[in-house]
Amino acid sequence: MPRCHVGIDYPELSPYYLRDDYVREDLRENQTGTTLYLDIGVIDITTCTPAQDIFVEIWACSAQGVYSAFGTGPTMGGNPTALPTGSSGTIVPPSQTMSGPFPSGSGFPPGGFPGGGNSKANGDNFLRGGLPADTNGMVELMTIYPGFYTGRTVHIHTMIHQNISYHNNGTIISASGNLRHIGQVFFDEALNDEVLAQAAYQGTGQSRTYNAQDGILEQANSGGYSAFAEVERLGDSLDEGLL
């Protein structure tokens, strides 16, 4: 049987995950920082062919180390957040955290994860959302190169859904369909250094954690897997963006 799994599952949700997020390509809203075009491909590991009916969802902190709806915390690597039981079809704005056990048949572990999410500080939703993948299992999302916060190196959270349903207001129904992957994407430290030297990333009040100090990165990059994104410059300056 062919094997082609290139990304390790990290089976915990960030305590800063929001359910029922927006379906959109450009996640930046009013956030400053280096534009990042993030291309993600999803394959069926049993056939090594593009997975079908896939929705790719991502979320990350701002250049200042802030997650939308939560503000800045002293250490943002806390307990994972569990997903809700089922979905009644009621429209829930993407400012609600997941809570409760995982829905039956969703692909989530029975009973959910221990712990819970942090309290929301506002209704912001920047740097969150996703898109359905095309027939080649590919999706391109426009975000910014994330900043950092105390206890974590630079990273982007990823979640892969299959056969997901949608609300009429342009958001996904997070508890529908099947969850196929939870992971995080990391970046080369030299590139981190260069991007974080820009003005938008300065004065955060956070203590920087480097790649070599991040235990989640160490786990995600083990066993022959690579947790690092391959990044190309779109011009001579970071102002032109990264791909």
Side-chain angles (χ1 to χ4, degrees), residues 82-154:
L83 298 182
T85 53
S87 174
S88 64
T90 302
I91 294 175
V92 182
S95 56
Q96 308 261 339
T97 54
M98 298 291 197
S99 61
F102 291 89
S104 175
S106 68
F108 297 113
F113 295 116
N118 291 314
S119 298
K120 298 185 298 295
N122 54 58
D124 291 342
N125 201 60
F126 55 79
L127 306 181
R128 299 177 182 274
L131 280 178
D134 63 20
T135 56
N136 294 314
M138 293 295 301
V139 64
E140 181 174 274
L141 297 165
M142 187 185 304
T143 184
I144 69 163
Y145 199 97
F148 65 91
Y149 50 87
T150 304
R152 293 302 317 280
T153 191
V154 176

Side-chain angles (χ1 to χ4, degrees), residues 35-47:
T35 296
L36 175 65
Y37 296 88
L38 188 62
D39 291 351
I40 296 176
V42 183
I43 57 176
D44 184 330
I45 64 172
T46 63
T47 64

Side-chain angles (χ1 to χ4, degrees), residues 27-28 31 58-62 125-128 143-144:
L27 284 56
R28 297 173 299 170
Q31 294 302 300
I58 67 171
W59 66 101
C61 71
S62 71
N125 201 60
F126 55 79
L127 306 181
R128 299 177 182 274
T143 184
I144 69 163

Side-chain angles (χ1 to χ4, degrees), residues 8 10 14 20 31 41 43 46 49 58 61 72 91 133 140 142 148-149 157 170 172 190 192 221 225 230 237 240:
I8 192 169
Y10 182 72
S14 160
D20 294 10
Q31 294 302 300
I43 57 176
T46 63
T49 60
I58 67 171
C61 71
T72 305
I91 294 175
E140 181 174 274
M142 187 185 304
F148 65 91
Y149 50 87
H157 296 271
I172 63 172
N192 287 342
N221 208 46
Y225 298 112
E230 296 181 4
S237 168
E240 299 176 73

